[in-house]
Tab-separated table of all heavy atoms in Angstrom:
chain	number	residue	atom	x	y	z
A	262	ARG	N	-221.380	199.524	-105.535
A	262	ARG	CA	-220.859	198.322	-106.157
A	262	ARG	C	-221.162	198.389	-107.649
A	262	ARG	O	-222.326	198.479	-108.054
A	262	ARG	CB	-221.523	197.085	-105.540
A	262	ARG	CG	-221.075	195.759	-106.140
A	262	ARG	CD	-219.626	195.456	-105.824
A	262	ARG	NE	-219.347	195.618	-104.412
A	262	ARG	CZ	-219.618	194.693	-103.488
A	262	ARG	NH1	-220.164	193.557	-103.833
A	262	ARG	NH2	-219.324	194.932	-102.232
A	295	ILE	N	-232.282	192.683	-101.459
A	295	ILE	CA	-231.065	191.920	-101.702
A	295	ILE	C	-229.860	192.785	-101.335
A	295	ILE	O	-229.620	193.817	-101.966
A	295	ILE	CB	-230.963	191.485	-103.178
A	295	ILE	CG1	-232.191	190.648	-103.573
A	295	ILE	CG2	-229.682	190.695	-103.419
A	295	ILE	CD1	-232.243	190.299	-105.035
A	296	PRO	N	-229.123	192.424	-100.329
A	296	PRO	CA	-228.024	193.292	-99.869
A	296	PRO	C	-226.849	193.298	-100.825
A	296	PRO	O	-226.658	192.371	-101.619
A	296	PRO	CB	-227.641	192.676	-98.527
A	296	PRO	CG	-228.006	191.236	-98.662
A	296	PRO	CD	-229.241	191.203	-99.523
A	297	LEU	N	-226.050	194.390	-100.754
A	297	LEU	CA	-224.820	194.456	-101.532
A	297	LEU	C	-223.913	193.288	-101.184
A	297	LEU	O	-223.338	192.643	-102.047
A	297	LEU	CB	-224.093	195.769	-101.248
A	297	LEU	CG	-224.645	197.038	-101.880
A	297	LEU	CD1	-223.876	198.243	-101.358
A	297	LEU	CD2	-224.559	196.978	-103.389
A	298	ASP	N	-223.753	193.051	-99.910
A	298	ASP	CA	-222.944	191.938	-99.420
A	298	ASP	C	-223.722	191.239	-98.325
A	298	ASP	O	-224.353	191.887	-97.484
A	298	ASP	CB	-221.612	192.433	-98.841
A	298	ASP	CG	-220.690	192.984	-99.904
A	298	ASP	OD1	-220.325	192.227	-100.806
A	298	ASP	OD2	-220.337	194.165	-99.811
A	299	ARG	N	-223.672	189.940	-98.329
A	299	ARG	CA	-224.222	189.172	-97.216
A	299	ARG	C	-223.091	188.968	-96.206
A	299	ARG	O	-222.204	188.139	-96.426
A	299	ARG	CB	-224.775	187.835	-97.695
A	299	ARG	CG	-225.979	187.954	-98.620
A	299	ARG	CD	-226.477	186.563	-99.011
A	299	ARG	NE	-227.563	186.622	-99.964
A	299	ARG	CZ	-228.857	186.688	-99.643
A	299	ARG	NH1	-229.194	186.700	-98.360
A	299	ARG	NH2	-229.781	186.736	-100.576
A	301	SER	N	-223.073	187.560	-93.555
A	301	SER	CA	-223.103	186.235	-92.951
A	301	SER	C	-222.652	185.134	-93.900
A	301	SER	O	-222.755	183.948	-93.570
A	301	SER	CB	-224.524	185.927	-92.470
A	301	SER	OG	-225.442	186.006	-93.556
A	302	GLU	N	-222.129	185.480	-95.084
A	302	GLU	CA	-221.674	184.484	-96.041
A	302	GLU	C	-220.263	184.809	-96.523
A	302	GLU	O	-219.851	185.970	-96.545
A	302	GLU	CB	-222.616	184.428	-97.253
A	302	GLU	CG	-224.018	183.981	-96.921
A	302	GLU	CD	-224.896	183.875	-98.155
A	302	GLU	OE1	-224.484	184.348	-99.241
A	302	GLU	OE2	-226.001	183.324	-98.028
A	303	VAL	N	-219.554	183.759	-96.937
A	303	VAL	CA	-218.222	183.922	-97.502
A	303	VAL	C	-218.207	183.244	-98.869
A	303	VAL	O	-218.423	182.036	-98.968
A	303	VAL	CB	-217.137	183.304	-96.601
A	303	VAL	CG1	-215.751	183.515	-97.213
A	303	VAL	CG2	-217.197	183.914	-95.203
A	304	GLY	N	-217.977	184.022	-99.919
A	304	GLY	CA	-217.984	183.483	-101.266
A	304	GLY	C	-216.720	182.723	-101.593
A	304	GLY	O	-215.624	183.032	-101.101
A	305	SER	N	-216.844	181.722	-102.435
A	305	SER	CA	-215.689	180.937	-102.867
A	305	SER	C	-214.910	181.690	-103.939
A	305	SER	O	-215.471	182.533	-104.648
A	305	SER	CB	-216.138	179.581	-103.404
A	305	SER	OG	-216.962	179.754	-104.551
A	306	PRO	N	-213.620	181.416	-104.084
A	306	PRO	CA	-212.813	182.130	-105.083
A	306	PRO	C	-213.326	181.986	-106.509
A	306	PRO	O	-213.180	182.903	-107.319
A	306	PRO	CB	-211.421	181.492	-104.925
A	306	PRO	CG	-211.392	181.010	-103.516
A	306	PRO	CD	-212.787	180.553	-103.225
A	307	ASP	N	-213.943	180.825	-106.841
A	307	ASP	CA	-214.438	180.647	-108.208
A	307	ASP	C	-215.820	181.251	-108.439
A	307	ASP	O	-216.365	181.178	-109.539
A	307	ASP	CB	-214.451	179.164	-108.593
A	307	ASP	CG	-215.400	178.326	-107.722
A	307	ASP	OD1	-216.171	178.904	-106.922
A	307	ASP	OD2	-215.347	177.076	-107.829
A	308	GLY	N	-216.395	181.858	-107.395
A	308	GLY	CA	-217.678	182.526	-107.529
A	308	GLY	C	-218.873	181.599	-107.625
A	308	GLY	O	-219.981	182.055	-107.927
A	309	LYS	N	-218.697	180.311	-107.328
A	309	LYS	CA	-219.791	179.357	-107.472
A	309	LYS	C	-220.524	179.067	-106.169
A	309	LYS	O	-221.668	178.615	-106.187
A	309	LYS	CB	-219.254	178.045	-108.052
A	309	LYS	CG	-218.710	178.169	-109.469
A	309	LYS	CD	-218.210	176.818	-109.977
A	309	LYS	CE	-217.673	176.936	-111.397
A	309	LYS	NZ	-217.167	175.611	-111.896
A	310	TRP	N	-219.879	179.312	-105.047
A	310	TRP	CA	-220.436	178.907	-103.761
A	310	TRP	C	-220.435	180.059	-102.756
A	310	TRP	O	-219.614	180.961	-102.843
A	310	TRP	CB	-219.620	177.750	-103.158
A	310	TRP	CG	-219.518	176.527	-104.009
A	310	TRP	CD1	-218.525	176.230	-104.893
A	310	TRP	CD2	-220.427	175.433	-104.043
A	310	TRP	NE1	-218.752	175.014	-105.479
A	310	TRP	CE2	-219.920	174.498	-104.967
A	310	TRP	CE3	-221.614	175.139	-103.381
A	310	TRP	CZ2	-220.562	173.300	-105.256
A	310	TRP	CZ3	-222.260	173.945	-103.654
A	310	TRP	CH2	-221.742	173.042	-104.582
A	311	ALA	N	-221.328	179.960	-101.810
A	311	ALA	CA	-221.315	180.835	-100.638
A	311	ALA	C	-221.392	179.939	-99.415
A	311	ALA	O	-222.287	179.080	-99.312
A	311	ALA	CB	-222.473	181.816	-100.649
A	312	ALA	N	-220.452	180.097	-98.500
A	312	ALA	CA	-220.447	179.326	-97.260
A	312	ALA	C	-221.090	180.142	-96.151
A	312	ALA	O	-220.897	181.355	-96.062
A	312	ALA	CB	-219.032	178.926	-96.883
A	313	PHE	N	-221.858	179.469	-95.299
A	313	PHE	CA	-222.522	180.152	-94.186
A	313	PHE	C	-222.756	179.137	-93.080
A	313	PHE	O	-222.442	177.942	-93.228
A	313	PHE	CB	-223.837	180.786	-94.646
A	313	PHE	CG	-224.859	179.809	-95.170
A	313	PHE	CD1	-225.890	179.343	-94.364
A	313	PHE	CD2	-224.806	179.356	-96.485
A	313	PHE	CE1	-226.837	178.451	-94.840
A	313	PHE	CE2	-225.739	178.463	-96.983
A	313	PHE	CZ	-226.761	177.998	-96.156
A	320	TRP	N	-222.681	175.261	-93.874
A	320	TRP	CA	-223.462	174.976	-95.073
A	320	TRP	C	-222.833	175.714	-96.249
A	320	TRP	O	-222.078	176.672	-96.070
A	320	TRP	CB	-224.902	175.475	-94.921
A	320	TRP	CG	-225.744	174.779	-93.895
A	320	TRP	CD1	-225.548	174.721	-92.541
A	320	TRP	CD2	-226.943	174.047	-94.148
A	320	TRP	NE1	-226.543	174.021	-91.930
A	320	TRP	CE2	-227.427	173.588	-92.892
A	320	TRP	CE3	-227.663	173.741	-95.306
A	320	TRP	CZ2	-228.590	172.836	-92.779
A	320	TRP	CZ3	-228.831	172.995	-95.182
A	320	TRP	CH2	-229.289	172.532	-93.936
A	321	VAL	N	-223.173	175.260	-97.455
A	321	VAL	CA	-222.829	176.003	-98.663
A	321	VAL	C	-224.077	176.124	-99.529
A	321	VAL	O	-224.978	175.270	-99.477
A	321	VAL	CB	-221.693	175.336	-99.472
A	321	VAL	CG1	-220.379	175.422	-98.715
A	321	VAL	CG2	-222.037	173.905	-99.842
A	322	ARG	N	-224.112	177.185	-100.300
A	322	ARG	CA	-225.196	177.388	-101.260
A	322	ARG	C	-224.588	177.555	-102.645
A	322	ARG	O	-223.671	178.364	-102.840
A	322	ARG	CB	-226.034	178.622	-100.921
A	322	ARG	CG	-227.267	178.757	-101.816
A	322	ARG	CD	-228.161	179.939	-101.446
A	322	ARG	NE	-227.535	181.218	-101.742
A	322	ARG	CZ	-226.990	182.019	-100.845
A	322	ARG	NH1	-226.995	181.670	-99.564
A	322	ARG	NH2	-226.437	183.152	-101.193
A	323	GLU	N	-225.070	176.792	-103.601
A	323	GLU	CA	-224.640	176.941	-104.984
A	323	GLU	C	-225.329	178.176	-105.556
A	323	GLU	O	-226.567	178.238	-105.600
A	323	GLU	CB	-224.987	175.705	-105.793
A	323	GLU	CG	-224.355	175.683	-107.164
A	323	GLU	CD	-224.607	174.374	-107.895
A	323	GLU	OE1	-225.549	173.635	-107.495
A	323	GLU	OE2	-223.879	174.090	-108.845
A	324	LEU	N	-224.549	179.167	-105.947
A	324	LEU	CA	-225.118	180.449	-106.334
A	324	LEU	C	-225.962	180.356	-107.599
A	324	LEU	O	-226.960	181.083	-107.745
A	324	LEU	CB	-224.003	181.478	-106.516
A	324	LEU	CG	-223.181	181.786	-105.249
A	324	LEU	CD1	-222.102	182.819	-105.538
A	324	LEU	CD2	-224.082	182.278	-104.118
A	325	ALA	N	-225.599	179.482	-108.510
A	325	ALA	CA	-226.341	179.390	-109.772
A	325	ALA	C	-227.734	178.822	-109.573
A	325	ALA	O	-228.684	179.238	-110.240
A	325	ALA	CB	-225.564	178.527	-110.761
A	326	THR	N	-227.882	177.888	-108.644
A	326	THR	CA	-229.178	177.213	-108.468
A	326	THR	C	-229.865	177.550	-107.153
A	326	THR	O	-231.071	177.318	-107.003
A	326	THR	CB	-228.978	175.694	-108.520
A	326	THR	OG1	-228.164	175.283	-107.401
A	326	THR	CG2	-228.302	175.284	-109.830
A	327	GLY	N	-229.122	178.052	-106.196
A	327	GLY	CA	-229.685	178.304	-104.874
A	327	GLY	C	-229.744	177.073	-103.993
A	327	GLY	O	-230.233	177.132	-102.861
A	328	THR	N	-229.232	175.953	-104.486
A	328	THR	CA	-229.268	174.707	-103.724
A	328	THR	C	-228.349	174.783	-102.509
A	328	THR	O	-227.177	175.154	-102.627
A	328	THR	CB	-228.833	173.526	-104.603
A	328	THR	OG1	-229.702	173.445	-105.735
A	328	THR	CG2	-228.897	172.223	-103.828
A	329	GLU	N	-228.884	174.435	-101.348
A	329	GLU	CA	-228.119	174.473	-100.108
A	329	GLU	C	-227.721	173.072	-99.687
A	329	GLU	O	-228.507	172.127	-99.786
A	329	GLU	CB	-228.933	175.136	-98.998
A	329	GLU	CG	-229.238	176.602	-99.267
A	329	GLU	CD	-230.018	177.267	-98.142
A	329	GLU	OE1	-230.533	176.532	-97.271
A	329	GLU	OE2	-230.107	178.506	-98.144
A	330	THR	N	-226.472	172.940	-99.197
A	330	THR	CA	-225.954	171.649	-98.767
A	330	THR	C	-225.319	171.797	-97.395
A	330	THR	O	-224.502	172.685	-97.172
A	330	THR	CB	-224.901	171.118	-99.753
A	330	THR	OG1	-225.479	171.021	-101.057
A	330	THR	CG2	-224.399	169.746	-99.320
A	367	TRP	N	-211.791	179.755	-97.611
A	367	TRP	CA	-211.809	178.828	-98.732
A	367	TRP	C	-210.389	178.549	-99.226
A	367	TRP	O	-209.521	179.423	-99.195
A	367	TRP	CB	-212.599	179.416	-99.890
A	367	TRP	CG	-214.082	179.417	-99.729
A	367	TRP	CD1	-214.861	180.393	-99.178
A	367	TRP	CD2	-214.984	178.394	-100.170
A	367	TRP	NE1	-216.199	180.045	-99.237
A	367	TRP	CE2	-216.296	178.812	-99.845
A	367	TRP	CE3	-214.809	177.163	-100.807
A	367	TRP	CZ2	-217.427	178.053	-100.142
A	367	TRP	CZ3	-215.937	176.399	-101.102
A	367	TRP	CH2	-217.223	176.839	-100.763
A	371	SER	N	-211.280	176.390	-104.397
A	371	SER	CA	-212.695	176.304	-103.985
A	371	SER	C	-213.144	174.879	-103.664
A	371	SER	O	-214.342	174.612	-103.582
A	371	SER	CB	-213.614	176.907	-105.057
A	371	SER	OG	-213.285	178.249	-105.319
A	422	VAL	N	-215.804	170.069	-99.809
A	422	VAL	CA	-217.155	170.449	-100.227
A	422	VAL	C	-217.834	169.323	-100.995
A	422	VAL	O	-219.016	169.021	-100.778
A	422	VAL	CB	-217.117	171.740	-101.070
A	422	VAL	CG1	-218.501	172.071	-101.611
A	422	VAL	CG2	-216.580	172.894	-100.240
Side-chain angles (χ1 to χ4, degrees):
R262 179 67 49 81
I295 302 174
L297 284 174
D298 291 299
R299 295 182 184 270
S301 58
E302 296 183 349
V303 181
S305 63
D307 63 8
K309 295 181 180 179
W310 302 93
F313 61 98
W320 293 63
V321 291
R322 187 177 69 257
E323 190 174 18
L324 298 180
T326 64
T328 302
E329 295 181 347
T330 302
W367 285 90
S371 302
V422 175

